[in-house]
Amino acid sequence: MAKTLTTTVTGAVVLALAGLPAAQAQERGADSLQEITVTARKREESLLNVPVSIAVVSGEALRDSAVAQLEALAPTIPNFHFAEAVSGNDQIFMRGIGSGVNSGFENSVGQVIAGLFIGRSRFGRALFMDVAQVEILKGPQGALIGKNTTAGAVNIRTARPTETFEGYIVSGWQFEGDEGYNVEGAVSGPLGERVRGRLAFRREDKDGYVFNVVRKRKEMDRQSVDVRGTLQFAITEDLEATLLVQHGDQTRAGRAREVLNCSAGLRAALAPTGEDCTFNLTNSAVNLRNGVEEPALTNTKGDLVNLTLNLQTALGTLTSVSGYVQYDTRDSWDGDLISFEGSSIDLNESFEQFSQEVRLASDADGPLDYIVGAYFQKADQDNHFKIHANFAGPAPLPTLPAAFRATNNRVSAQTTESSALFGQLTWQLAEQWDLTGGFRYTIEDKDGRHREFPTVLYTDTPRAAPPGGPAANSHDIAASRSEKQFTPNAVLQWRPRDGAMAYFSIGRGFKGGGFDHTLSAPQALALQRYQFKNERVTAYELGTKFAFPAQRLQFTAAIFRSDFDDLQVSSLLPDAAGTIFKVGNAAAARSEGVEFEGRWVPIPRLRLAANVGYLRARYTEFRDAQCYTQQTAALGCVNTVQNLTGKPLQFAPKIKGSIDAQYRVPLSAGLEMTLSTRAYYSDRFAMTIDLDPLSFQESYTKYDASVALQGGDGRWRVALIGQNLGDKLTSNFGNTGPGDRSVFRFAEPPRGVVLQGRIEF
């Protein structure tokens, strides 16, 4: 879209995007700060009463600001990071702690969607659809939510059926940046005397925003369709059942990857294609196989089913949550990032999970408040990772001998069974003091099998292992592991008055060990490299939450420290078998810092908000980390490893935050105009574990904007929304690229402008 249009829009719109998490949760037209409820402790509670650092974003705010998924929300949330990886595990980090790209890793940041805990990062790519609220819980949540929350959890609450008929449709057309459209809607209401229902859908069709100079088209175009149905039954006065069924289908062509810092020889070889090896929203990747282009596609189809029963008893609410989750992903891409035939990759992954939770929660109206329960989960995961090696490009690109050209297959199968007992008891010591103790005892068993073998190039036909090259290794191994973990926590709360609370918490958490799903090694070495240990954390947090209704002011603050042992990492390390990508455990790490969030309504119709975090996340011991490409002894690489003790973790900017303002202007005839502003900042951070100087994202500030006209008591709304109006070019993921010293980066969206309409009925 023409730059003149952008200039006009930028000048006409107050720099903005509707509301920060806390401000976003308010009702339309309210000049006071409304109460926010969260379910961080498996029951609805006021945010100001929960002794956890939490960022909250309402579903209405997500729709009004055209934020469609976690990857777009993450840059505005301090100490939270989400990025799609090249393959396997996406990068969900909290306070500098997360998991590597290997498919065998569980997540350090758990995901709870519609009440179900989900152990795979792939669901982080799902689009927000008819969401009631997103809760970002920071710090270990091991007692109530469970394992694999050593860094925190993301709780996505879907909208529930309503007692009266209502619905909405919201549609947006993005005419600059990632051009295309989306439409979302829902209808809800009673279906009978004791039955309520809700049906929601979302459709998106976007063109992508990276231009492929060889294919002469934009990359990362995608289409998605999501549908969810929810039924709520009042079986008796005391028993209620909720059934939720969701299906999603997402297809994407191409990737927003760019290769940078090419050597002079590589740059010369790529010049005829138009590749300039700079970060400018262009690439030249073509997925060639025997000289014929193969579409670089990613398709994920998934289903989620949740049956929740709530029975009111004399002892409290007895809840049963039965869940089933499955997805299938087919992923194919150009592994060498350039237009010449070199390597191409396929990843097929299937995941299936069944879970059952039963818990009893008291009514919280006496000196003792409790929640106790049991949890069971069984998950099956199958991966087929193929690397097709056919390097035959012009100098200085490598050329494999014909005998070495083959497909390397890495096939993994894993079954996980996890059982847990958990409980939490809160005792009112005095009128202003509460003491809470919680625990979770988990037993987990995993069985895995991993095979590596060569096949004829681009086929599934077996062949003898070549004497060298990418397909030389072969093995067939199996292993089992079992672990038991006790993760307690304790919280002391002080409430000096209504709307004021301070707390100190201490807790333990763990993330299960597992198997390397992309292991490459000969049979003799594969077994000893196959497994990695669990990860453990001890965390401390001191926080306060205050509300001043007369001044229409609220703020929360927290100081935290988390000490990690056996932090799980993935590294590219050379050894006797050659340079391979391995997983393992770093010795120790520490994450500490401060978080602050404030909301204020200084005058009627004006809302201000600020959200900022300071983070110091470091390895306290990591003496055998991988070296980055061409790192010398003078730069710290000794005997093929470097000592990262005292160095920063990935995705851990020291300072990250946002400032927001929103002002409503009454107009005639019942109309109202809303102007909103947002500026969000991130300090410099590393994107790779080896701290390659070429793979840092430098500090940046972005500005978003929206102006909206609404009427009919808020039943219709038209908005012009500007995103990243300064057109700042940034990355959220990167790694080593082709050639001697090149790297690649995933480009985040450039400036975007959305025209959006919404109707409620």
mmCIF file of all heavy atoms in Angstrom, residues 530-550:
data_model
loop_
_atom_site.group_PDB
_atom_site.id
_atom_site.type_symbol
_atom_site.label_atom_id
_atom_site.label_comp_id
_atom_site.label_asym_id
_atom_site.label_seq_id
_atom_site.Cartn_x
_atom_site.Cartn_y
_atom_site.Cartn_z
ATOM 1 N N TYR A 530 20.179 -40.303 24.419
ATOM 2 C CA TYR A 530 18.755 -40.240 24.127
ATOM 3 C C TYR A 530 17.968 -39.469 25.180
ATOM 4 O O TYR A 530 17.026 -38.754 24.874
ATOM 5 C CB TYR A 530 18.227 -41.667 23.996
ATOM 6 C CG TYR A 530 16.794 -41.805 23.540
ATOM 7 C CD1 TYR A 530 16.233 -40.924 22.614
ATOM 8 C CD2 TYR A 530 15.997 -42.845 24.023
ATOM 9 C CE1 TYR A 530 14.930 -41.073 22.192
ATOM 10 C CE2 TYR A 530 14.693 -43.014 23.601
ATOM 11 C CZ TYR A 530 14.159 -42.112 22.678
ATOM 12 O OH TYR A 530 12.863 -42.267 22.252
ATOM 13 N N GLN A 531 18.331 -39.583 26.454
ATOM 14 C CA GLN A 531 17.518 -39.017 27.519
ATOM 15 C C GLN A 531 18.114 -37.720 28.078
ATOM 16 O O GLN A 531 19.311 -37.475 27.991
ATOM 17 C CB GLN A 531 17.379 -40.022 28.667
ATOM 18 C CG GLN A 531 16.679 -41.309 28.287
ATOM 19 C CD GLN A 531 16.321 -42.135 29.506
ATOM 20 O OE1 GLN A 531 15.774 -41.618 30.481
ATOM 21 N NE2 GLN A 531 16.611 -43.425 29.451
ATOM 22 N N PHE A 532 17.235 -36.894 28.650
ATOM 23 C CA PHE A 532 17.671 -35.757 29.443
ATOM 24 C C PHE A 532 16.856 -35.730 30.733
ATOM 25 O O PHE A 532 15.756 -36.280 30.807
ATOM 26 C CB PHE A 532 17.533 -34.435 28.679
ATOM 27 C CG PHE A 532 16.181 -34.194 28.079
ATOM 28 C CD1 PHE A 532 15.178 -33.557 28.795
ATOM 29 C CD2 PHE A 532 15.899 -34.608 26.782
ATOM 30 C CE1 PHE A 532 13.933 -33.331 28.240
ATOM 31 C CE2 PHE A 532 14.654 -34.378 26.214
ATOM 32 C CZ PHE A 532 13.664 -33.740 26.946
ATOM 33 N N LYS A 533 17.410 -35.094 31.763
ATOM 34 C CA LYS A 533 16.824 -35.121 33.098
ATOM 35 C C LYS A 533 15.719 -34.073 33.248
ATOM 36 O O LYS A 533 15.586 -33.172 32.435
ATOM 37 C CB LYS A 533 17.910 -34.877 34.150
ATOM 38 C CG LYS A 533 18.997 -35.923 34.175
ATOM 39 C CD LYS A 533 19.972 -35.667 35.317
ATOM 40 C CE LYS A 533 20.768 -34.394 35.109
ATOM 41 N NZ LYS A 533 21.785 -34.201 36.168
ATOM 42 N N ASN A 534 14.978 -34.198 34.348
ATOM 43 C CA ASN A 534 13.958 -33.201 34.633
ATOM 44 C C ASN A 534 14.600 -31.896 35.092
ATOM 45 O O ASN A 534 15.777 -31.851 35.455
ATOM 46 C CB ASN A 534 12.948 -33.712 35.663
ATOM 47 C CG ASN A 534 13.580 -34.013 37.014
ATOM 48 O OD1 ASN A 534 14.165 -33.150 37.651
ATOM 49 N ND2 ASN A 534 13.447 -35.258 37.451
ATOM 50 N N GLU A 535 13.807 -30.854 35.053
ATOM 51 C CA GLU A 535 14.226 -29.504 35.423
ATOM 52 C C GLU A 535 13.455 -29.105 36.680
ATOM 53 O O GLU A 535 12.252 -29.323 36.781
ATOM 54 C CB GLU A 535 13.901 -28.571 34.254
ATOM 55 C CG GLU A 535 14.053 -27.096 34.495
ATOM 56 C CD GLU A 535 13.602 -26.306 33.271
ATOM 57 O OE1 GLU A 535 14.219 -26.466 32.200
ATOM 58 O OE2 GLU A 535 12.618 -25.555 33.378
ATOM 59 N N ARG A 536 14.160 -28.482 37.651
ATOM 60 C CA ARG A 536 13.522 -28.131 38.920
ATOM 61 C C ARG A 536 13.756 -26.659 39.229
ATOM 62 O O ARG A 536 14.766 -26.074 38.815
ATOM 63 C CB ARG A 536 14.087 -28.994 40.048
ATOM 64 C CG ARG A 536 13.862 -30.484 39.834
ATOM 65 C CD ARG A 536 14.565 -31.334 40.872
ATOM 66 N NE ARG A 536 15.994 -31.047 40.980
ATOM 67 C CZ ARG A 536 16.913 -31.464 40.134
ATOM 68 N NH1 ARG A 536 16.552 -32.208 39.085
ATOM 69 N NH2 ARG A 536 18.182 -31.168 40.311
ATOM 70 N N VAL A 537 12.840 -26.086 39.996
ATOM 71 C CA VAL A 537 12.939 -24.670 40.328
ATOM 72 C C VAL A 537 12.458 -24.442 41.758
ATOM 73 O O VAL A 537 11.537 -25.110 42.242
ATOM 74 C CB VAL A 537 12.099 -23.805 39.353
ATOM 75 C CG1 VAL A 537 10.630 -24.178 39.407
ATOM 76 C CG2 VAL A 537 12.281 -22.321 39.652
ATOM 77 N N THR A 538 13.112 -23.523 42.441
ATOM 78 C CA THR A 538 12.645 -22.976 43.716
ATOM 79 C C THR A 538 12.440 -21.486 43.515
ATOM 80 O O THR A 538 13.357 -20.788 43.068
ATOM 81 C CB THR A 538 13.666 -23.222 44.840
ATOM 82 O OG1 THR A 538 13.897 -24.628 44.968
ATOM 83 C CG2 THR A 538 13.136 -22.680 46.159
ATOM 84 N N ALA A 539 11.250 -21.004 43.817
ATOM 85 C CA ALA A 539 10.893 -19.627 43.473
ATOM 86 C C ALA A 539 10.406 -18.877 44.703
ATOM 87 O O ALA A 539 9.741 -19.440 45.582
ATOM 88 C CB ALA A 539 9.815 -19.618 42.394
ATOM 89 N N TYR A 540 10.726 -17.580 44.730
ATOM 90 C CA TYR A 540 10.307 -16.683 45.797
ATOM 91 C C TYR A 540 9.669 -15.443 45.160
ATOM 92 O O TYR A 540 10.152 -14.946 44.139
ATOM 93 C CB TYR A 540 11.503 -16.237 46.650
ATOM 94 C CG TYR A 540 12.422 -17.356 47.075
ATOM 95 C CD1 TYR A 540 13.456 -17.786 46.237
ATOM 96 C CD2 TYR A 540 12.270 -17.985 48.303
ATOM 97 C CE1 TYR A 540 14.313 -18.806 46.618
ATOM 98 C CE2 TYR A 540 13.122 -19.012 48.695
ATOM 99 C CZ TYR A 540 14.138 -19.421 47.847
ATOM 100 O OH TYR A 540 14.982 -20.435 48.225
ATOM 101 N N GLU A 541 8.599 -14.935 45.777
ATOM 102 C CA GLU A 541 7.961 -13.732 45.250
ATOM 103 C C GLU A 541 7.375 -12.916 46.393
ATOM 104 O O GLU A 541 6.701 -13.448 47.282
ATOM 105 C CB GLU A 541 6.865 -14.095 44.246
ATOM 106 C CG GLU A 541 6.243 -12.896 43.545
ATOM 107 C CD GLU A 541 5.420 -13.301 42.331
ATOM 108 O OE1 GLU A 541 6.007 -13.914 41.419
ATOM 109 O OE2 GLU A 541 4.209 -13.038 42.310
ATOM 110 N N LEU A 542 7.651 -11.615 46.376
ATOM 111 C CA LEU A 542 7.099 -10.660 47.327
ATOM 112 C C LEU A 542 6.299 -9.645 46.524
ATOM 113 O O LEU A 542 6.847 -8.974 45.641
ATOM 114 C CB LEU A 542 8.217 -9.967 48.104
ATOM 115 C CG LEU A 542 7.797 -8.869 49.096
ATOM 116 C CD1 LEU A 542 6.971 -9.453 50.232
ATOM 117 C CD2 LEU A 542 9.035 -8.153 49.642
ATOM 118 N N GLY A 543 5.009 -9.538 46.818
ATOM 119 C CA GLY A 543 4.175 -8.680 45.992
ATOM 120 C C GLY A 543 3.161 -7.898 46.791
ATOM 121 O O GLY A 543 2.893 -8.173 47.968
ATOM 122 N N THR A 544 2.564 -6.911 46.137
ATOM 123 C CA THR A 544 1.517 -6.100 46.748
ATOM 124 C C THR A 544 0.518 -5.681 45.686
ATOM 125 O O THR A 544 0.876 -5.514 44.502
ATOM 126 C CB THR A 544 2.123 -4.852 47.434
ATOM 127 O OG1 THR A 544 1.088 -4.133 48.084
ATOM 128 C CG2 THR A 544 2.790 -3.942 46.426
ATOM 129 N N LYS A 545 -0.743 -5.522 46.096
ATOM 130 C CA LYS A 545 -1.812 -5.086 45.199
ATOM 131 C C LYS A 545 -2.689 -4.104 45.960
ATOM 132 O O LYS A 545 -3.140 -4.403 47.073
ATOM 133 C CB LYS A 545 -2.639 -6.283 44.710
ATOM 134 C CG LYS A 545 -1.811 -7.327 43.958
ATOM 135 C CD LYS A 545 -2.652 -8.457 43.389
ATOM 136 C CE LYS A 545 -1.778 -9.448 42.636
ATOM 137 N NZ LYS A 545 -2.557 -10.518 41.960
ATOM 138 N N PHE A 546 -2.931 -2.928 45.358
ATOM 139 C CA PHE A 546 -3.689 -1.870 46.021
ATOM 140 C C PHE A 546 -4.740 -1.312 45.078
ATOM 141 O O PHE A 546 -4.511 -1.194 43.863
ATOM 142 C CB PHE A 546 -2.763 -0.724 46.450
ATOM 143 C CG PHE A 546 -2.034 -0.981 47.736
ATOM 144 C CD1 PHE A 546 -0.815 -1.611 47.727
ATOM 145 C CD2 PHE A 546 -2.591 -0.592 48.946
ATOM 146 C CE1 PHE A 546 -0.133 -1.855 48.907
ATOM 147 C CE2 PHE A 546 -1.919 -0.831 50.138
ATOM 148 C CZ PHE A 546 -0.692 -1.465 50.124
ATOM 149 N N ALA A 547 -5.867 -0.936 45.643
ATOM 150 C CA ALA A 547 -6.920 -0.234 44.912
ATOM 151 C C ALA A 547 -7.356 0.966 45.736
ATOM 152 O O ALA A 547 -7.564 0.857 46.953
ATOM 153 C CB ALA A 547 -8.111 -1.154 44.662
ATOM 154 N N PHE A 548 -7.473 2.123 45.076
ATOM 155 C CA PHE A 548 -7.935 3.356 45.707
ATOM 156 C C PHE A 548 -9.176 3.828 44.942
ATOM 157 O O PHE A 548 -9.066 4.599 43.982
ATOM 158 C CB PHE A 548 -6.848 4.429 45.671
ATOM 159 C CG PHE A 548 -5.567 4.004 46.337
ATOM 160 C CD1 PHE A 548 -4.563 3.396 45.608
ATOM 161 C CD2 PHE A 548 -5.382 4.209 47.691
ATOM 162 C CE1 PHE A 548 -3.383 2.996 46.220
ATOM 163 C CE2 PHE A 548 -4.199 3.815 48.311
ATOM 164 C CZ PHE A 548 -3.200 3.205 47.577
ATOM 165 N N PRO A 549 -10.357 3.347 45.315
ATOM 166 C CA PRO A 549 -11.570 3.643 44.538
ATOM 167 C C PRO A 549 -11.834 5.127 44.373
ATOM 168 O O PRO A 549 -12.251 5.576 43.294
ATOM 169 C CB PRO A 549 -12.673 2.953 45.347
ATOM 170 C CG PRO A 549 -11.961 1.875 46.115
ATOM 171 C CD PRO A 549 -10.627 2.444 46.451
ATOM 172 N N ALA A 550 -11.604 5.923 45.426
ATOM 173 C CA ALA A 550 -11.904 7.356 45.327
ATOM 174 C C ALA A 550 -11.035 8.033 44.275
ATOM 175 O O ALA A 550 -11.467 8.949 43.575
ATOM 176 C CB ALA A 550 -11.707 8.026 46.685
#
